[in-house]
Amino acid sequence: MTSLTLVRRIKARPSIVFDAITTAEGIAQWWGPDAGPVLIAEADPRKGGRYRVRFRMLDGTEHECSGEYLDVVRPERVVMSWRWQGGQEDPNESRVEIALKAVPEGTEITFTHSHLDEETRRSHEEGWTGALDKLEARFAGGEAA
Amino acid sequence: MSSDELFRNTVPKPNLTRLTTRREAPILSDMVNYQQRLDRTFAALVDPTRRAILAQLERKSSASVGELAQPFAIKLPAVLKHLSVLADAGLITRTKSGRTVTVRLRPQPMREAMAWLSRYERFWAGSLDRLAAYAERKEAEPRGKEK
């Protein structure tokens, strides 16, 4: 199945990283691909709770995503469903899983956005594992920074 | 202003164009087409035989159907069927000259699929940079409330 994985090391304790990811206060500080502001950040980080984030990019466009927390284990794991509001950019629901591991310099974060091809996957129940080896290999090249 | 006008005035969303990478024209139908194309591309790529065919075509500039069928332990009609799926998804072109059908790779749909995936990559790579900067700032703050 199509997924995107990013691994990164952060010089901060897992509990600090975890709170940055799961609290509205934290989310407001970093969510979004460029220096544009977060306009709305809501988070109820417990299983079944929801989050909603709206951000503006430097080009002036606004985007909103929201979903449900599927699993929350402080400070090591968060799983949440993901959907762009209005389904404009991508109408399908996908899944975001963030795993935090304590390492000597702080935290190793493994970030996986999966089920990116949910619709297609449904019609091809089993075929997906390793289906896009080539595409994934491209990403593997640019992974950890 | 009628509600119809109001609706029309609020509905167009210029932000669509960036993430869809499509022309602005009729955005919605364009989006649907785009999603359908992506679905077709991914569906075509699901099958290992079809991926192997694409890999072969990537190595050579073109190949005949016979050449493409050679490495596989399946019958020619099955290979032809796979080629049809790939052609429908726009991943290959077939040109007939006499009795020979020449198959070539058509990279556009693959590029589109890549672009679609790299949107997410850009989104998260940028966000994680900011997350790291923020968490490291927090870590550097005077301790107290954290264990």
Side-chain angles (χ1 to χ4, degrees), chain A residues 13-141:
Chain A
R13 280 161 289 168
S15 58
I16 286 181
V17 178
F18 187 90
D19 290 349
I21 292 169
T22 54
T23 63
E25 184 205 355
I27 286 169
Q29 298 294 322
W30 62 270
W31 195 292
D34 62 23
V38 171
L39 306 172
I40 299 170
E42 295 168 2
D44 179 15
R46 55 201 164 107
K47 199 172 170 173
R50 296 193 60 84
Y51 72 91
R52 178 164 82 107
V53 186
R54 186 173 183 84
F55 61 94
R56 185 189 298 138
M57 291 180 53
L58 293 178
D59 64 7
T61 61
E62 292 185 13
H63 307 274
E64 184 171 322
C65 39
S66 59
E68 183 183 331
Y69 288 103
L70 305 173
D71 195 21
V72 182
V73 184
R74 189 176 188 272
E76 57 197 50
R77 183 176 138 86
V78 192
V79 185
M80 50 203 187
S81 65
W82 171 285
R83 194 187 284 275
W84 293 106
Q85 190 265 331
Q88 295 150 353
E89 288 88 351
D90 181 355
N92 304 331
E93 185 170 282
S94 51
R95 181 182 148 115
V96 170
E97 178 164 356
I98 302 164
L100 305 179
K101 193 174 83 181
V103 291
E105 71 252 53
T107 304
E108 183 179 273
I109 177 165
T110 303
F111 181 96
T112 306
H113 200 145
S114 62
H115 297 209
L116 288 171
D117 47 16
E118 191 63 18
E119 287 305 314
T120 313
R121 189 180 69 86
R122 264 187 223 116
S123 53
H124 297 271
E125 286 297 331
E126 79 238 327
W128 271 106
T129 310
L132 296 171
D133 294 343
K134 198 175 159 186
L135 298 187
E136 284 172 2
R138 274 286 288 273
F139 284 124

